[in-house]
Amino acid sequence: VSIVIPEGGRLGVVGESGSGKSTLARVVLGLVRAQAGRVAWEGRTIDYDDATAMRSLRREMQVVFQDPFGSLDPRMTAGQAVGEALQALAGPVASVAAQDRIRAALSEVGLAAAFANRYPHEMSGGQCQRVAIARAIVARPRLLVCDEAVSALDVSVQAQIVNLLHELSERYQMSLLFISHNLAVVRHLCDDVAVLCQGRLVEQGSRAAIFNHPRE
């Protein structure tokens, strides 16, 4: 697999179940080690064993997982979840400033300030996924990896979350690596598409090329 995500670009990765989409995402994030090859950031190979460099890189790359409930700590409110990410990624932030950043992050994903005091079980799946996105963007990453981030949601909520991701990407020139088995969602959101099959990249190109003239 060889892919390139330009700054501010949105790359969709599609393929059948078991084709390697989620493994690719985890390799990019350093959660799984590749047996061969390399991952480069701004042209420089990432050394996942360099703890100091990785702390800095974690702020640049964030992830939104598939399960909106499973990715949040049930013992933490939405505000605490976003605040924990802010302190871990941006360093110590004064209490008043941190609360402002948390409220701003929740507002950016369409949640009122009152949601800061809610626990995951007090929110819907779509609301929990918005909290997960707020947690991921609070430190302003430059790459957001979305691993089936809308597949567990109702169709109407999927559209809202996809539009939100598009808006955030445009506003902050944030690159997206969007993994999905939903071709309609990928066609709406992504500029370029990569197709995986049995762990191999079998097709890659612009959205128009892939959907209008796919390889057989």
Side-chain angles (χ1 to χ4, degrees), residues 15 34 50 55-56 117 119 122 134 141-142 149 156 163 179 186:
D50 186 338
R55 276 195 296 271
S56 175
N117 297 318
Y119 290 90
E122 297 175 315
R142 295 170 58 197
S156 60
N163 289 335
I179 292 166
V186 170

Side-chain angles (χ1 to χ4, degrees), residues 55-75:
R55 276 195 296 271
S56 175
L57 191 62
R58 289 296 176 212
R59 181 174 179 174
E60 304 287 331
M61 296 182 180
Q62 282 296 297
V63 60
V64 179
F65 294 105
Q66 177 177 358
D67 185 354
F69 294 104
S71 63
L72 297 176
D73 188 331
R75 299 166 298 179

Side-chain angles (χ1 to χ4, degrees), residues 165-182:
L165 291 170
H166 187 280
E167 178 186 339
L168 292 170
S169 174
E170 291 281 323
R171 184 187 304 168
Y172 298 116
Q173 276 295 290
M174 179 176 63
S175 302
L176 291 181
L177 176 59
F178 188 84
I179 292 166
S180 179
H181 63 270
N182 189 322

Side-chain angles (χ1 to χ4, degrees), residues 6-27:
E7 185 173 4
R10 295 182 290 270
L11 174 66
V13 179
V14 301
E16 61 189 3
S17 296
S19 60
K21 302 187 300 297
S22 293
T23 300
L24 175 61
R26 284 162 170 73
V27 168

